[in-house]
């Protein structure tokens, strides 16, 4: 409002100014009144409520939905909005309460304590334009009936209080649980077993849980829980306790919680009928906390009586001679079905006069029962069975006893009634036998071929005679206690033919069984000798002769190849040409014009030069040049060197690797002066060994290597009408150690697998073997007048195992182990000659003394006309010779031959070809 000023006394007032001031006062009042008007015109908030479902089961849950709304226009905010909702009795906030709020307001506090009855909203600020706040709370019906629920009025600061809101919910009662029961079978035999099946169900819908569900079932007299009870439960509930004590009569289920929607719990228990009759079984009512108690359930089971056991009896023969023997066969059976066990089953059988239990009684019992005691005293007249438990399903027990007729006549025999605890007593059983007065008999036996060989057919002929006529009936032929076969008598003769007799001695008897007219008799024992077929012996003899020889030839090949490989491996240092066991070897790294300084330096004097070298006839050094790596064996390669033309010193890249290959063939002369038949040689044949390997020199004085090989052989014997051939493979390794410049030690080991195929006459067989070889030696070398001299001492040994086999004549040839080897000593000479500028050759010759040693676990075999000797055994000599060549491109080959067994019992020619090449690591 404008300021009102006082005019000076006596000064007249200005009317226009007065009017202006009044207008200003009126305008201010209008502004104040206009600003306060909206606050005086706002509407109160509203509230609505609904239940998620109109009806729920007892203890069921649904939602209570409460929505508060600001009905005023935009900008008309209501503050302090709230309400309270006290649930009626029998309706509580659920656990969990599931509280959900969807508010367009702010600042509110919402309370809905799980298990309580109060829901509240306070202090909310709610904007205009229909803004809402919805509260959703889970509620549970704890008692049945209609639950009317009204909220308090909804409050606000600006619009005052609105009205209350109401909604109703019906809580319905639950149905009681149900129970059904059945027996697995409508009828069982006495002491039989079946199942009792009890099923409890919740008939209410989803969410309708029943607690405290249970029942009891007391079985009627004569029905008990089985041992074992076989209890099985299949429950969709929880918390239950189930009792079904084996041997007792009570089955119970207590404390189960079973959800709705048809959930079930099934209890299956084995029950046994202990007395006969109809067993009516009714459970208690089935209980629950929410749905009350349901009805009981009933079912019936019939326990039937068992049939008595049965007994049958027969004699093994309708008649026997006086003092003859036959069997009495008694069979007890349980005629009831499976599960129908009879206990206390038994009988007694008192034999009539003139019939006794034999000595020996021959008692045999074949029982499907248990617990029985059987008595049949030899020489007595009583047979009994007591205390047997016999299962059902047509199970039986058969007792077989030998009985002897001691007096002539018809013997009628009846058992007692067969007894049982459950089925009572069955009928007795009877049988008759005639004991005659018979004539004596005598049995003899002859063989068609004795001795015989394995696989040959032998016919045994039994003759049965009697002074009172010609006996009839049958004869059994036995090998010891084993019955070979039975044949009927024809004119008092019975024959039996067999080719199944095994190697060895057989005790053959013929037993005549007798008839009512003739007493039985047994022939004296016939000793039938069954020998090994002669062709099987020949096959074994061929095996014993050939395999050590084949092993020796392979041993010589492998040992010689290892020796050559080691010598060639040491060729990277020292002189250009040195002797080895197969001739000489070339050193590719040596200087052709070098002398022989310390190991590894270039030589200044050519060892094969005509001037100044060790082979110069005019040069006579005070001591032999010690640069020749030596090597001694029966190998046949030779490497030579062209040493006449001088060349300037050169440096050659070290070649620490050596690859080599060798082929060796051996031919065995026809030998032996003792011939099986005129002009028939005992043993001859040939063999080829192929070997290859790789050597690695680790230091100037030490190397190692590996080898592999293949061998094939074919040996024959005219005297044995036989042939043994086969092939094999070999793997191995070796090492060399140069002890000094003139002495070297080497060793090797190899393993071979051999396959043999042999024939001798009509016998044939295949077998396999495995072989180990070890070899070692010492080698020295010297030079005299340009000739390389190489003394040596070597030894190798082999051990071979040959597997057992059965030849085509069904003869079992046993496994075999033998050992063989050779110790040798001798000397070899070689002399290199230049053939052309690009080729050098080196002839060589050697002579060695050998001692061959052998041991064998093979069974001794001897055939008339075949000498029982070992090929390559004892002392003999060996002469070797050959030539080697080296070409300008560094390649080297050697060929040679050898005559072994000089002065021994066999002559072996051997030929050999070898090639090798050294190369560096680069």
């Amino acid at each position: 409002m404008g300021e009102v000023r006082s005019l000076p006394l006596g000064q007249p007032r200005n009317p226009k100014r007065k009017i202006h001031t009044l207008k200003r006062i009126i305008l201010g009042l209008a502004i104040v009144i206009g600003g306060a008007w909206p606050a005086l015109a706002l509407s109160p908030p509203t509230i609505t409520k609904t239940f998620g479902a109109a009806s729920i089961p007892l203890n069921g849950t649904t939602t209570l939905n409460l929505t508060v709304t600001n009905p005023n226009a935009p900008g008309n905010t209501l503050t302090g909005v709230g309400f309270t909702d006290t649930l009626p009795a029998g309706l509580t906030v659920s656990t969990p309460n599931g509280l959900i709020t969807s508010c367009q307001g702010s600042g509110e506090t919402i309370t809905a304590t799980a298990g309580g009855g109060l829901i509240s909203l306070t202090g909310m600020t709610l904007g205009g334009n229909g803004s809402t706040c919805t509260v959703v709370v889970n509620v549970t019906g704890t008692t049945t009936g209609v639950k009317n629920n009204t909220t308090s009025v909804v409050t606000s600061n600006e619009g005052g209080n609105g009205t209350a809101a109401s909604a109703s919910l019906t809580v319905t009662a639950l149905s009681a649980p149900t129970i059904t029961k059945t027996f697995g079978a409508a009828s069982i035999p006495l002491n039989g077993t079946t199942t009792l099946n009890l099923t409890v169900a919740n008939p209410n819908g989803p969410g309708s849980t029943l607690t405290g569900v249970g029942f009891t079932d007391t079985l009627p007299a004569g029905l008990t829980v089985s041992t074992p009870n076989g209890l099985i439960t299949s429950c969709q509930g929880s918390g239950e306790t189930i009792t079904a004590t084996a041997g007792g009569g009570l089955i119970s289920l207590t404390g189960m919680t079973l959800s709705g929607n048809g959930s079930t719990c099934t209890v299956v228990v084995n029950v046994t009928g202990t007395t006969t009759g109809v067993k009516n079984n009714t459970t208690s009512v089935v209980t629950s906390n929410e749905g009350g108690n349901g009805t009981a359930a009933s079912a019936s089971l019939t326990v039937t009586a068992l049939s008595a056991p049965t007994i049958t009896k027969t004699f093994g023969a309708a008649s026997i001679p006086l003092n003859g023997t036959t069997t009495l066969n008694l069979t007890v059976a349980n005629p009831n079905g499976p599960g129908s066990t009879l206990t206390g089953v038994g009988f007694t059988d008192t034999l009539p006069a003139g019939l006794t239990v034999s000595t020996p009684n021959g008692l045999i019992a074949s029982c499907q029962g248990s617990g029985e005691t059987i008595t049949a005293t030899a020489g007595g007249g009583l047979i009994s069975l007591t205390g047997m438990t016999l299962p059902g399903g047509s199970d039986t027990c058969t007792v077989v006893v030998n009985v002897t007729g001691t007096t002539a006549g018809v013997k009628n025999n009846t058992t007692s009634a067969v007894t049982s605890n459950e089925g009572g007593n069955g009928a007795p059983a009877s049988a008759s036998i005639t004991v005659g007065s018979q004539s004596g008999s005598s049995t003899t036996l002859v063989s068609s071929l004795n001795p015989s060989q394995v696989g040959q057919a032998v016919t045994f002929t039994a003759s049965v005679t009697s002074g009172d006529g010609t006996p009839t009936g049958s004869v059994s032929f036995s090998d010891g206690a084993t019955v070979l076969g039975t044949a009927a008598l024809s004119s008092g003769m019975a024959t039996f033919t067999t080719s199944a007799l095994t190697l060895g001695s057989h005790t053959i008897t013929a037993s005549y069984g007798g008839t009512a007219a003739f007493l039985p008799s047994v022939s004296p024992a016939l000793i039938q000798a069954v020998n090994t077929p002669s062709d099987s012996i020949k096959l074994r003899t061929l095996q014993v002769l050939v395999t050590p020889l084949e092993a020796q030839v392979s041993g010589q090949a492998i040992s010689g190849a290892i020796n050559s490989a080691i010598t060639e491996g040491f060729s990277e240092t020292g002189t250009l040409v040195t002797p080895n066991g197969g001739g000489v070897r070339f050193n590719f790294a040596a200087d052709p014009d070098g002398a022989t300084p310390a190991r590894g330096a270039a030589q200044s004097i050519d060892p094969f030069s005509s001037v100044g070298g060790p082979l110069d006839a005019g040069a006579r050094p005070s001591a032999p040049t010690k640069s020749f790596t030596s090597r001694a064996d029966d190998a046949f390669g030779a490497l030579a060197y062209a040493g006449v033309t001088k060349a300037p010193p050169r440096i050659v890249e070290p070649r620490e690797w050596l690859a080599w290959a060798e082929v060796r063939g051996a031919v065995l002369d026809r030998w032996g002066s003792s011939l099986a038949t005129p002009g028939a040689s005992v043993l001859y044949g040939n063999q080829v060994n192929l070997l290859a390997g790789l050597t690695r020199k680790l230091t100037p004085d030490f190397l190692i290597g590996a080898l592999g090989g293949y061998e094939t052989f074919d040996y024959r014997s005219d005297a044995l009408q036989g042939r043994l051939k086969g092939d094999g493979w070999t793997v191995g390794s070796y090492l060399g150690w140069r002890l000094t410049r003139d002495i070297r030690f080497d060793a090797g080991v190899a393993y071979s697998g051999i396959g043999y195929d042999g024939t001798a006459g009509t016998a044939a067989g295949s077998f396999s073997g495995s072989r180990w070889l070890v070899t070692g030696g010492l080698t020295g070398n010297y030079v005299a007048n340009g000739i390389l001299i190489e003394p040596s001492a070597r030894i190798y040994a082999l051990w071979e195992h040959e597997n057992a086999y059965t030849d085509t004549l069904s003869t079992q040839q046993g496994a075999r182990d033998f050992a063989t080897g050779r110790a040798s000593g001798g000397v070899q000479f070689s002399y290199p000659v230049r053939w052309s500028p690009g080729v050098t050759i080196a002839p060589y010759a050697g002579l060695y003394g050998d001692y061959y040693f052998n041991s064998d676990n093979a069974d001794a075999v001897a055939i008339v006309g075949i000498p029982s000797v070992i090929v390559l055994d004892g002392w003999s000599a060996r002469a070797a010779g050959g030539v080697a060549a080296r070409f300008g491109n560094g390649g080297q080959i050697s060929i040679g031959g050898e005559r072994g067994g000089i002065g021994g019992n066999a002559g072996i020619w051997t030929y050999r070809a070898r090639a090798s090449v050294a190369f560096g690591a680069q």
Side-chain angles (χ1 to χ4, degrees), residues 536-903:
S536 292
I537 296 175
K538 290 179 181 180
L539 180 61
R540 186 64 165 185
T541 302
L542 185 66
Q543 177 184 351
V544 172
L545 283 173
V546 171
T547 54
L549 172 64
E550 194 276 335
Q552 275 282 7
V553 174
S554 292
Q556 295 175 23
I558 297 169
S559 177
I562 289 175
N563 207 357
S564 295
I566 292 173
T567 296
E568 292 164 355
F570 280 131
S571 67
E572 285 300 314
T573 59
T575 57
L576 181 65
V577 181
T578 55
N580 66 43
V584 296
R585 56 101 177 140
F586 289 98
N587 179 353
F588 290 109
D591 182 353
D593 294 315
T596 310
R599 182 176 297 134
Q603 300 180 24
S604 62
I605 299 177
D606 182 354
F608 294 102
S609 171
S610 61
V611 179
L615 302 184
D616 181 1
R620 293 291 182 268
S622 59
T625 302
K626 297 183 178 180
S627 60
F628 296 91
T629 303
S630 61
R631 169 114 159 88
D633 194 20
D634 57 349
F636 304 109
L639 300 175
Y641 162 67
V644 177
T645 303
K646 302 296 181 176
R650 58 189 177 90
I651 297 176
V652 180
E653 177 190 352
R655 300 182 183 183
E656 63 271 21
W657 292 91
L658 177 77
W660 57 269
E662 180 174 311
V663 59
R664 175 188 289 251
V667 178
L668 176 66
D669 283 347
R670 296 172 180 252
W671 64 276
S673 58
S674 299
L675 304 177
T677 57
S681 297
V682 175
L683 189 65
Y684 60 95
N686 59 81
Q687 179 171 339
V688 176
N689 288 76
L690 302 175
L691 294 162
L694 188 64
T695 303
R696 173 71 163 93
K697 185 163 62 176
L698 301 177
T699 72
D701 294 317
F702 190 81
L703 59 77
I704 60 174
L707 63 88
Y710 171 77
E711 61 192 78
T712 180
F713 51 88
D714 189 349
Y715 292 95
R716 299 171 185 264
S717 173
D718 296 339
L720 295 172
Q721 299 176 307
R723 179 182 185 184
L724 187 65
K725 61 180 182 176
D727 56 18
W729 53 266
T730 297
V731 293
S733 61
Y734 51 87
L735 63 88
W737 181 17
R738 189 158 51 190
L739 305 176
T740 69
R741 295 183 62 85
D742 301 317
I743 300 176
R744 190 200 74 232
F745 168 76
D746 57 74
V749 62
Y751 178 80
S752 303
I754 316 295
Y756 297 95
D757 293 299
T759 60
T762 59
S766 297
F767 58 96
S768 61
S770 58
R771 178 190 308 147
W772 282 99
L773 173 144
V774 294
T775 180
L778 289 171
T779 305
N781 68 279
Y782 303 92
V783 177
N785 297 323
I787 299 174
L788 306 181
I789 305 171
E790 184 181 1
S792 64
R794 303 195 58 79
I795 187 170
Y796 64 80
L798 303 101
W799 294 267
E800 180 164 327
H801 171 77
E802 294 168 358
N803 296 320
Y805 64 99
T806 302
D807 65 25
T808 54
L809 299 182
S810 300
T811 299
Q812 177 70 35
Q813 305 280 13
R816 175 185 175 216
D817 294 285
F818 70 83
T820 187
R822 184 184 75 186
S824 62
V827 63
Q828 181 171 281
F829 305 90
S830 58
Y831 189 83
V833 177
R834 178 164 181 162
W835 184 262
S836 69
V839 179
T840 299
I841 62 173
Y844 68 91
L847 184 63
Y848 301 91
D850 299 326
Y851 179 76
Y852 294 92
F853 49 90
N854 298 275
S855 66
D856 200 332
N857 74 344
D859 297 334
V861 291
I863 298 178
V864 176
I866 303 298
S868 56
V869 296
I870 300 174
V871 183
L872 298 180
D873 189 39
W875 292 100
S876 63
R878 174 167 44 95
V883 64
R886 182 202 178 196
F887 301 95
N889 60 4
Q892 47 186 326
I893 60 173
S894 62
I895 58 174
E898 179 185 273
R899 171 65 173 179
I902 301 173

Side-chain angles (χ1 to χ4, degrees), residues 278-294:
V278 177
K279 309 301 178 182
N280 296 310
N281 179 217
T282 302
T283 67
S284 68
V285 295
V286 61
T287 62
S288 74
N289 295 328
E290 292 77 13
N293 297 336

Side-chain angles (χ1 to χ4, degrees), residues 443 464 471-477 486-490 494 510-515 521:
T443 301
V464 183
T472 59
S474 61
V475 175
S476 294
F477 297 86
T486 302
L489 284 170
S490 176
S511 301
Y512 170 55
T515 63
S521 59

Side-chain angles (χ1 to χ4, degrees), residues 488-501:
L489 284 170
S490 176
S491 300
M493 306 284 288
T495 60
F496 173 76
T497 301
T498 180
S499 58
L501 295 178

